[in-house]
Amino acid sequence: MDHQGTAEERFRALHEDTFADLLRFVERRVPPDEAEDIVSTVYLTAWRRHAELPEDARPWLFAVARRTMANQTRGWLRRRALDVRLTATEQHEVPDGSSGTAARLDLQRAWRSLSAADREVLALVAFDGLTADQAATVLNCRRSAFTMRLGRARKRLQSALEPATPDHPRTLQELS
């Protein structure tokens, strides 16, 4: 088997194994009509640099997607592109008073109260299923820095989910 055939087979396997996850990763950060273009650009970059791809290329692809989104947006759009929107996973239902609906609404409210940076670190682990090492690669930081950011983001989310008590009412300043 020639080298090109091996590279093509590896690339096809990479595409098959990662496409759905990468598309979801991008769709949570940009409008749906832009997501497929960004994913296509990521795979084009991966094909051009196939000889440099690490064994575990999934975090590398996510990092390229993040940089591609940042390069395609400027000004106030940049923050929105890198932000993680919970709406991609929301169910649009009329509240029926059930505890499940109330919990979803509480989570959505708490999620929106977090900073874009907190939503990003939480999403990389919770939605995208990355390990701390992989997520650190995506964010171009050390594992220890990512772990610290993740811990802080989890605490802020937990705090945002806890109801206010009469002795200690919640304020927006406390959540940021």
Side-chain angles (χ1 to χ4, degrees), residues 21-31 34-36 38-39 42 65-66 69 81 85 128:
D21 290 341
L22 184 62
L23 184 60
R24 279 190 299 275
F25 173 82
V26 172
E27 284 177 337
R28 279 193 288 272
R29 291 157 178 83
V30 299
E34 296 176 28
E36 287 191 16
I38 290 169
V39 171
V42 171
R66 248 181 128 248
M69 288 182 281
R85 292 175 283 137
D128 301 314

Side-chain angles (χ1 to χ4, degrees), residues 100-115:
T101 300
R104 270 194 311 279
L105 292 174
D106 288 345
L107 178 58
Q108 289 171 2
R109 193 173 301 114
W111 184 261
R112 285 190 302 266
S113 75
L114 298 175
S115 70

Side-chain angles (χ1 to χ4, degrees), residues 92-157:
H92 297 285
E93 299 176 19
V94 176
D96 62 1
S98 73
S99 61
T101 300
R104 270 194 311 279
L105 292 174
D106 288 345
L107 178 58
Q108 289 171 2
R109 193 173 301 114
W111 184 261
R112 285 190 302 266
S113 75
L114 298 175
S115 70
D118 282 349
R119 290 190 298 263
E120 181 71 10
V121 297
L122 290 167
L124 287 171
V125 173
F127 298 152
D128 301 314
L130 298 180
T131 65
D133 287 331
Q134 293 170 328
T137 298
V138 172
L139 297 178
N140 194 28
C141 67
R142 291 190 172 150
R143 182 184 193 277
S144 59
F146 176 80
T147 303
M148 185 171 33
R149 291 177 193 174
L150 179 62
R152 289 176 180 165
R154 284 178 173 158
K155 284 180 185 175
R156 285 190 278 266
L157 180 61

Side-chain angles (χ1 to χ4, degrees), residues 2-21:
D2 63 44
H3 184 326
Q4 181 64 25
T6 304
E8 186 174 331
E9 288 172 6
R10 182 173 181 225
F11 182 79
R12 285 180 191 270
L14 173 69
H15 184 271
E16 185 178 314
D17 292 345
T18 60
F19 179 80
D21 290 341

